[in-house]
Amino acid sequence: EPEVTQTPSHQVTQMGQEVILRCVPISNHLYFYWYRQILGQKVEFLVSFYNNEISEKSEIFDDQFSVERPDGSNFTLKIRSTKLEDSAMYFCASSEVLAAYNEQFFGPGTRLTVL
Amino acid sequence: QQQVKQSPQSLIVQKGGISIINCAYENTAFDYFPWYQQFPGKGPALLIAIRPDVSEKKEGRFTISFNKSAKQFSLHIMDSQPGDSATYFCAASSNTGKLIFGQGTTLQVKP
């Protein structure tokens, strides 16, 4: 069964460093998302991406964040200068079409720890 | 207005019992209400979903009840099993595809 994969599973970084989180969405999917989950809290939407453009972004997704689909298979989330509060689980998701009632498939997540 | 409120935060049920988790929303533009199940160390996985043109949807032991006028929906897990022990998130979205999640409910089913 096709699945969304994410690497690394755990990333530890120093405050102020840049990190890149990688995702490989399901191959025939066209819509891509990043969500994050701070420990013990709810899953929060960060950004959606389609046709090499950001479709929508949340207030969390400020200038420190960027997304890219560099090679037609990977989908990356970059945090330019990490803060302590960026420590969270980051989930990539993908869907076949953009419709409210279309399932988003989530990857296993990358745990980001900022020291 | 973008919030989805979920309760209870945690739930303990005996094996064979019924687990009930409730959610409420405010944004009438939401037109899709999925429930996601998350096991430790895994990403959320779609369990069951409903659109507001129906009041109930059942898949196996899992049922969503939807009350459009009250802007509430709930997940019922019949004959709860220890393997159902997980965190459950309700969510809502409109035509942008963005999912707004509830706070989550940690369910423990005791053998």
Side-chain angles (χ1 to χ4, degrees), chain B residues 9-111:
Chain B
Q9 188 173 353
S10 63
L11 183 59
I12 300 174
V13 173
Q14 292 292 325
K15 178 182 175 182
I18 302 173
S19 305
I20 301 174
I21 305 170
N22 300 298
C23 285
Y25 65 98
E26 295 175 0
N27 188 347
T28 55
F30 289 146
D31 60 359
Y32 174 65
F33 302 89
W35 284 89
Y36 279 80
Q37 180 187 55
Q38 185 181 29
F39 292 104
K42 303 287 187 183
L46 181 67
L47 187 63
I48 186 172
I50 197 168
R51 296 177 65 181
D53 51 349
V54 297
S55 60
E56 185 175 280
K57 183 173 182 181
K58 184 175 181 179
E59 288 183 2
R61 296 184 293 108
F62 301 92
T63 300
I64 301 178
S65 297
F66 186 84
N67 185 330
K68 188 174 181 177
S69 61
K71 291 186 277 187
Q72 295 175 347
F73 58 111
S74 60
L75 175 69
H76 291 62
I77 306 173
M78 311 300 288
D79 187 26
S80 298
Q81 299 296 312
D84 296 331
S85 297
T87 299
Y88 293 81
F89 292 95
C90 63
S93 75
S94 59
N95 59 3
T96 69
K98 171 177 73 177
L99 287 169
I100 305 297
F101 284 86
Q103 294 283 0
T105 296
T106 302
L107 171 66
Q108 181 183 358
V109 181
K110 291 193 168 183

Side-chain angles (χ1 to χ4, degrees), chain A residues 13 16-21 36 46 61-67 76-83 85-88 90 112 114:
Chain A
T13 189
Q17 294 297 304
E18 174 183 287
V19 294
I20 297 176
L21 310 183
R36 80 171 185 190
L46 291 178
F61 195 89
D62 61 21
D63 291 345
Q64 293 301 311
F65 290 87
S66 62
V67 289
T76 62
L77 174 68
K78 182 193 289 186
I79 309 175
R80 271 181 257 284
S81 178
T82 49
K83 307 183 191 72
E85 55 265 36
D86 293 328
S87 294
Y90 288 80
L112 176 64
V114 182

Side-chain angles (χ1 to χ4, degrees), chain A residues 82-105:
Chain A
T82 49
K83 307 183 191 72
L84 295 176
E85 55 265 36
D86 293 328
S87 294
M89 197 77 168
Y90 288 80
F91 293 106
C92 172
S94 69
S95 64
E96 196 169 356
V97 297
L98 179 66
Y101 39 90
N102 189 260
E103 180 178 358
Q104 291 182 28
F105 292 81

